[in-house]
Amino acid sequence: MLTQEKARVLLRYYRTAILYLLLTATLTAVIFGLRVFNIFIAVPITIATLHLGTLGALTLGLMGLYLRLFYSLESVRVNEWTVKTIHIIMNVGIGILTLGFLLDTWPVMAVGFIGVAYAGFWWVIQYFRWFFQAEPQDRKGALLFGAFGSLGLAITILIGGYLFHGYLSENTLQSMRLPHIHAGFVGWASLGLLGIGVALRGGELPVTKSVPVLQGSAWVWLIGIVTLLSFMVAWKLSSLMIAGGIILLGFLGYGYSMPKVGDLGSTNSQREDAGGSLKLLPFIIVGFLALSLTILLGFDIAVNYPSGRAGSHRIFGVGGWVLLTFLMALLSEIPLTTLALQDASISDHSRLQQFLYPGPFKFAWIFITLALLVMIGGFFAAATVLFIGAGALGLIVALLSLYILLKYSPRTTVYP
């Protein structure tokens, strides 16, 4: 059961993630808005913006979402002091690291990196402690994806340290930048979001107990990601097709198993009616369409690197798959957690639906999708159109983030 104290901890993670998303989206809108007028922002600001999104919004958000799963298991004991301290250290580390990027000063960057690495590794260690506390049958679904994703987070941090060393020696290898990016986005982000997708699809069964294809797809994803990173480190880019093929199999297995996960979750009609992810189905559809296109474009990049469709690959992967799926997860959980925080309920079904899934969510999806289409069109037509689409995407996400922060404040009063 989600107590008020647990709800407070979760909202602390969720709201911090949304705040970082607001900052990231606002800076993105400014950066690409200026590019429309041929004004280019300094590289350190762009790097700082990227890390605000990946470390602040995405990482803290995923931590909160998986913490929600562990809270639902009676066999797992979560130390509140631990999760609160990880949250504080990660925020301090992100703030100092961002300042270091902006100042382009390595001692400040080093302090920030140490804070982020400390919090990140602490989270990974805690995750596996909780994972093995869970009953064996409860480790086979969402938590399995989260475990593999946590390994991706650890690898991302380790490679990040190597890149920092390369920054100091002014010898940063491209063969390490690609693994750093893909360990973060394919390992940590994608596997993490796939696990959260299982939890949301399963309703009040956040960890599915017996869907063999789903379990197999998690292992296939892991093998594909390890293969992908290995070939990138060895700079065997033409061999990336092998990794892409393995990941594609994992994607197909995951998609095949999701209806079975839905059958498990449908046993709880209340969650399926009031929560779940059905109302946010458009986010899921566009997200998984973007993921499939991202994987398919990866084959083209492997064959034609560096002249492959890397730009559209990034747009579909980051803007389509990661962003929309991440928003879907937070938009599913934040309203429900706000209700739990106040131990409130709304007896009027229509009012409950309006509170959980207000109109701005739907409008945000429409305009985000349109902005992504403009970006793709601009990639093939003109850079100015691409910049307009990216700036619009940043502005829309910023407005949505601000709306969420205001509407679902812990001080929000929910009347029965």
Side-chain angles (χ1 to χ4, degrees):
M1 179 179 179
L2 188 61
T3 63
Q4 288 185 314
E5 179 59 31
K6 292 176 180 178
R8 287 191 187 94
V9 174
L10 290 178
L11 278 179
R12 185 175 301 179
Y13 275 86
Y14 295 160
R15 287 178 60 81
T16 306
I18 288 293
L19 179 59
Y20 278 116
L21 186 61
L22 172 61
L23 293 174
T24 304
T26 301
L27 287 171
T28 299
V30 171
I31 290 171
F32 285 99
L34 291 175
R35 285 190 180 184
V36 173
F37 302 99
N38 292 320
I39 302 173
F40 288 81
I41 298 293
V43 172
I45 296 178
T46 304
I47 296 175
T49 301
L50 177 63
H51 285 81
L52 282 173
T54 54
L55 293 175
L58 184 63
T59 298
L60 282 172
L62 280 174
M63 287 178 176
L65 291 166
Y66 274 99
L67 185 59
R68 168 69 178 88
L69 301 190
F70 285 116
Y71 276 154
S72 69
L73 299 176
E74 294 182 359
S75 59
V76 177
R77 297 291 178 264
V78 177
N79 187 305
E80 304 300 331
W81 179 87
T82 297
V83 294
K84 290 178 181 178
T85 305
I86 290 175
H87 181 267
I88 292 171
I89 295 175
M90 178 64 83
N91 275 288
V92 172
I94 293 171
I96 297 175
L97 183 64
T98 301
L99 181 62
F101 284 133
L102 296 176
L103 297 177
D104 198 17
T105 304
W106 75 263
V108 180
M109 288 186 201
V111 174
F113 174 77
I114 290 172
V116 169
Y118 187 87
F121 283 126
W122 193 358
W123 167 264
V124 173
I125 293 170
Q126 283 298 135
Y127 187 99
F128 280 97
R129 288 184 63 186
W130 297 328
F131 181 79
F132 288 111
Q133 284 179 20
E135 298 295 332
Q137 68 269 19
D138 290 336
R139 306 173 194 162
K140 299 176 181 179
L143 295 186
L144 184 61
F145 280 93
F148 293 157
S150 295
L151 293 177
L153 175 61
I155 294 172
T156 304
I157 294 172
L158 288 173
I159 300 178
Y162 181 87
L163 291 176
F164 181 70
H165 175 269
Y167 166 83
L168 295 178
S169 62
E170 298 183 352
N171 183 28
T172 304
L173 298 176
Q174 178 70 2
S175 61
M176 297 306 294
R177 282 179 177 169
L178 282 180
H180 177 67
I181 293 170
H182 285 78
F185 280 111
V186 185
W188 170 231
S190 291
L191 282 176
L193 290 171
L194 288 170
I196 295 302
V198 172
L200 294 176
R201 190 73 178 95
E204 286 294 347
L205 291 172
V207 281
T208 55
K209 296 182 178 180
S210 57
V211 183
V213 176
L214 179 70
Q215 300 163 35
S217 71
W219 285 98
V220 173
W221 270 95
L222 177 65
I223 294 170
I225 291 169
V226 171
T227 306
L228 181 75
L229 298 181
S230 299
F231 284 138
M232 284 180 173
V233 171
W235 206 243
K236 302 291 185 181
L237 299 185
S238 60
S239 300
L240 293 181
M241 293 186 65
I242 300 173
I246 298 172
I247 291 174
L248 180 59
L249 287 176
F251 172 75
L252 295 175
Y254 182 91
Y256 173 81
S257 64
M258 288 306 283
K260 301 178 185 298
V261 174
D263 291 338
L264 290 175
S266 63
T267 58
N268 189 308
S269 60
Q270 181 180 1
R271 171 76 178 197
E272 194 75 7
D273 183 49
S277 58
L278 293 182
K279 292 290 185 179
L280 296 171
L281 189 60
F283 284 84
I284 301 172
I285 293 173
V286 176
F288 274 84
L289 177 62
L291 176 58
S292 64
L293 292 173
T294 302
I295 296 172
L296 294 177
L297 285 169
F299 290 101
D300 176 66
I301 294 173
V303 173
N304 299 309
Y305 189 89
S307 60
R309 305 295 182 186
S312 55
H313 177 76
R314 288 192 294 268
I315 294 171
F316 282 124
V318 179
W321 158 241
V322 173
L323 175 61
L324 280 170
T325 311
F326 180 63
L327 283 174
M328 178 273 297
L330 288 182
L331 296 181
S332 294
E333 286 300 313
I334 289 178
L336 289 169
T337 308
T338 304
L339 282 176
L341 174 64
Q342 301 183 40
D343 195 22
S345 62
I346 302 176
S347 55
D348 187 323
H349 178 76
S350 62
R351 289 187 59 202
L352 176 61
Q353 291 298 306
Q354 180 58 29
F355 180 80
L356 294 176
Y357 304 104
F361 286 7
K362 182 183 297 183
F363 287 112
W365 169 78
I366 293 172
F367 287 113
I368 287 173
T369 304
L370 290 175
L372 288 170
L373 292 175
V374 171
M375 290 177 67
I376 290 297
F379 176 78
F380 292 99
T384 301
V385 178
L386 172 62
F387 298 154
I388 291 173
L393 178 65
L395 180 60
I396 296 162
V397 174
L399 292 174
L400 176 61
S401 302
L402 182 61
Y403 174 80
I404 296 170
L405 288 172
L406 295 176
K407 182 173 179 64
Y408 300 107
S409 166
R411 294 183 293 274
T412 298
T413 302
V414 181
Y415 295 99

